[in-house]
């Protein structure tokens, strides 16, 4: 609430922005001198958000903030990571004020601009079976009410007004400027908008931008808007006491609301996001990558051409020996096309594993592009950023992991999204009202609890939203459209998707399920938990070892367990055992911060490397004891860590598997199952042919390297805070 109230003050009274920036900067310098690191990242995010929205900030304040961020680069991660991200943005904002606001609005509102062609969209996914209809309706109404006022014309007016006020300062009469922009027709408004965007982007793209030259260019646009005489009169006679500076709101991003009912819905929405301009932005090198995979039902065909090149120089057509001009279109096309032969798709070695989708945490640099991913292929920029936000509990995250795995697997066959789309994942925990006071409250939000322990600012900002969302759902809808209402929930969601740039990676696990040992297993994945229960029904005796005569059956089932023990040395140690158990649970997240090899205990002097490649296995073992009264049975909890595990029922009892606490993902009548870290869909055995000269040699098969694990990133504000 403190952060939200501060940002609302900037919107309602822009004249107080410099004072608020000085206060935040003074608090940051105090935290640095007193080594209060736990408040540095929240204050830094808040300060950067204020600087993005505010106008009239002096160059001295920009310099102080930039110098403070550079001093933080000596601290360990995540402080240096967040500081680097802020310093890169501040460097451009200091040279060309208003750049961050302009780029943010253009990308989020999908405004057409050749100078800044990047686009973003927030996809809000809600499972109607896990979130109540009242919550869905309340969120949808709040989003629609906010976006009804964000027309393209209004957003263009905001961009022009903010750019001129940020550069001209007191010389800009904001009230007269906004009145003129509101009275301008659409074609004139677009002309002013494109002129301002071109001036800002051209100056921001220069290696040494000049503030004086930028000021002269925007003064020309300002005078053309109001007229030279009117601009001079307004700037000389304007009284700030009588005419306060009007506020320029920062529009919320373009959010689309989706009820998650289809397994392929995420893929379809991402394809529709790219489809409108996909064919207009394809170059020759992208066509070679078979980007027609945008249509899922189209199979890739192997295209071949018959070469007519005889290899004799005299057979060449006339003029073929003349080299084209190096910068001519013919030379450019020649470098992108292959003459004759089979069209072979050539990708870089790591093309299927982009840095933004997997891999350990590092310094994620944010450049002028919204996603900061740069170019995955030469000459091909990622112009689209999809921010997928899911609301729900651990069951919803399990569905997200399924969709993410399916999308990554599909990309190995139809390589169409990765070159042009940056995918960012976000999560807000929301529980059903009937589950809030129950004991399942903590069970269904284990991943949210882990994120809150890893990132305290996530805990304070996001994990506290669930009660507010339910309170919003209980409020009657307001029919008074004349009264302006501050959308608190939407503002927090907007703040999260904008400032949550540091991902935490989670290992996805694959499970092979055998109902019949003579048939191929079914395969599925899970993210947080796999629970195993013993069924009361029995399997036919065929295929099971006969039970010893006179042996007490007892509760539970006899299980054969084979697993690879998790050691600090990462050496492979296989352990096999047979025991009787009433059930077991495999958890992918540590229960608390005290567990030894969890990710929160990485060395503070280095960037934390997420190591979620082990499972915490809790087995309810049945212990038989004999006394004077006869035999008795008791249960004891055994816990161990493992990377992979195989479990098979040795008697006639069958197993029931429950994935990610979701009753819709239940497997019954299971005889055996195997769990291992899910590999990248593209990793595996690779064959290579060596160009043997002389005698023919057999093909050389590449050695089967250790498969790269599939990690799903969830964005937070700071990553893991040590």
């Amino acid at each position: 609430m403190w952060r939200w109230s501060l940002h609302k003050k900037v919107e309602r009274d822009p004249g107080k922005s410099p004072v608020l920036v000085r206060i935040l900067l003074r608090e940051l310098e105090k935290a640095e001198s007193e080594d209060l690191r736990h408040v540095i990242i929240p204050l830094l995010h808040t300060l950067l958000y204020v600087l993005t929205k505010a106008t009239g900030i002096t160059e001295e304040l920009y310099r102080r903030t930039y110098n403070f961020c550079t001093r933080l680069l000596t601290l360990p991660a995540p402080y240096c990571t967040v500081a680097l991200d802020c310093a890169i943005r501040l460097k451009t904002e200091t040279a060309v004020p208003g750049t961050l606001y302009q780029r943010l609005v253009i990308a989020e509102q999908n405004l057409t601009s050749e100078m800044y062609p990047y686009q973003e969209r927030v996809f809000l996914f809600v499972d109607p079976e896990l979130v109540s209809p009242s919550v869905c309706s309340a969120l949808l109404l709040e989003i629609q009410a906010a976006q009804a006022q964000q027309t393209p014309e209004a957003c263009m007016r905001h961009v022009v007004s903010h750019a001129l006020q940020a550069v001209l300062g007191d010389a800009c009469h904001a009230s007269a400027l906004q009145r003129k922009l509101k009275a301008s027709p659409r074609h004139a408004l677009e002309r002013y908008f494109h002129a301002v965007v071109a001036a800002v982007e051209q100056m921001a793209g220069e290696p040494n931008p000049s503030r004086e030259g930028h000021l002269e260019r925007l003064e020309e646009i300002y005078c053309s808007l109001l007229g030279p005489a009117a601009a001079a009169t307004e700037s000389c006679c304007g009284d700030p006491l009588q005419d306060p500076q009007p506020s320029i709101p920062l529009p919320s991003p373009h959010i689309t609301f989706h009820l998650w009912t289809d397994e392929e819905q995420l893929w379809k929405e991402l394809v529709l996001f790219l489809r409108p301009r996909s064919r207009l932005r394809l170059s020759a090198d992208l066509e070679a990558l078979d980007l027609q995979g945008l249509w899922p039902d189209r199979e890739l065909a192997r295209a071949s051409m018959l070469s007519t090149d005889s290899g004799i120089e005299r057979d060449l057509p006339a003029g073929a020996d003349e080299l084209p001009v190096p910068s001519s279109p013919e030379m450019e096309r020649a470098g992108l096309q292959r003459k004759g032969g089979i069209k072979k798709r050539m990708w870089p070695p790591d093309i299927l594993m982009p840095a933004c989708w997997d891999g350990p945490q590092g310094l994620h640099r944010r450049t002028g592009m919204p996603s900061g991913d740069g170019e995955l292929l030469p000459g091909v920029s990622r112009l689209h950023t999809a921010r997928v936000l899911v609301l729900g509990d651990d069951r919803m995250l399990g569905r997200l992991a399924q969709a993410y795995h399916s999308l990554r697997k599909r990309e190995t066959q139809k390589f169409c999204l990765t070159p042009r789309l940056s995918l960012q994942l976000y999560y807000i925990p929301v529980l059903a009202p009937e589950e809030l006071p129950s004991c399942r409250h903590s069970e269904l939000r284990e991943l949210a609890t882990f994120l809150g322990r890893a990132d305290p600012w996530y805990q304070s900002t996001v994990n506290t939203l669930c009660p507010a969302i339910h309170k919003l759902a209980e409020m009657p809808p307001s029919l008074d459209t004349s009264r302006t209402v501050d959308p608190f929930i939407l503002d927090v969601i907007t703040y999260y998707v904008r400032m949550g740039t540091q991902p935490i990676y989670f290992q996805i696990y694959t499970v092979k399920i055998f109902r019949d040992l003579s048939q191929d297993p079914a395969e599925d994945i899970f993210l947080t938990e796999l629970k195993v229960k013993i069924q009361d029904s029995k399997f036919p005796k065929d295929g099971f070892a006969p039970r010893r005569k006179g042996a007490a059956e007892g509760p539970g089932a006899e299980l054969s367990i084979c697993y690879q023990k998790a050691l600090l040395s990462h050496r492979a140690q296989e352990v096999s055992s047979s025991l009787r158990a009433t059930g077991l649970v495999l958890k992918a997240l540590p229960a608390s911060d005290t567990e030894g090899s969890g990710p929160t205990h990485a060395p503070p002097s280095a960037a934390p490397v997420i190591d979620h490649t082990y499972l915490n296995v809790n087995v309810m073992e049945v212990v038989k004891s004999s006394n004077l009264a006869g035999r008795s049975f008791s249960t004891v909890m055994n816990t161990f860590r493992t990377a992979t595990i195989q479990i098979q029922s040795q008697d006639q009892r069958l197993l029931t598997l429950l994935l990610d606490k979701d009753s819709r993902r239940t497997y019954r009548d299971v005889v055996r199952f195997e769990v291992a870290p899910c590999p990248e869909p593209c990793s595996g055995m690779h064959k290579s042919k060596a160009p043997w000269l002389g005698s023919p040699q057999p093909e050389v098969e590449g050695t089967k390297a250790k498969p790269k694990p599939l990690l799903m990133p969830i964005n937070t504000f700071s990553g893991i805070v040590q």
Side-chain angles (χ1 to χ4, degrees), residues 14-26 57 61:
K16 293 182 179 179
S17 299
V19 179
L20 294 175
V21 170
R22 289 185 184 276
I23 294 175
L24 288 170
L25 191 54
R26 186 168 60 246
I57 306 300
L61 287 178

Side-chain angles (χ1 to χ4, degrees), residues 82-154:
V82 177
L84 177 64
D85 181 46
C86 295
I88 293 174
R89 292 194 248 184
L90 282 171
K91 186 175 182 180
T92 304
E93 185 71 12
T94 303
V96 187
T99 306
L100 295 181
Y101 180 94
Q102 174 178 291
R103 289 176 173 177
L104 198 62
V105 174
I106 291 176
E108 290 181 346
Q109 303 302 323
N110 297 334
L111 300 179
T112 303
S113 174
E114 294 182 358
M115 299 298 297
Y116 195 76
Y118 302 99
Q119 297 184 8
E120 297 184 8
R121 184 173 298 176
V122 179
F123 299 86
L124 179 58
F125 282 93
V126 177
D127 192 334
E129 298 185 19
L130 304 180
V131 180
S132 62
S134 60
V135 171
C136 297
S137 301
L139 289 173
L140 183 58
L141 288 176
E142 185 164 330
I143 292 173
Q144 291 176 345
Q147 294 184 350
Q149 305 174 0
Q150 297 174 184
T151 61
E153 293 82 2

Side-chain angles (χ1 to χ4, degrees), residues 324-332:
V325 181
S327 59
S328 63
E330 292 81 2
M331 192 66 178
E332 183 179 355

Side-chain angles (χ1 to χ4, degrees), residues 417-432:
L417 292 181
T418 307
R420 293 177 292 123
L421 177 70
S422 173
L423 180 63
Q424 308 290 326
L425 304 181
Y426 302 83
Y427 168 55
I428 294 180
V430 176
L431 299 181

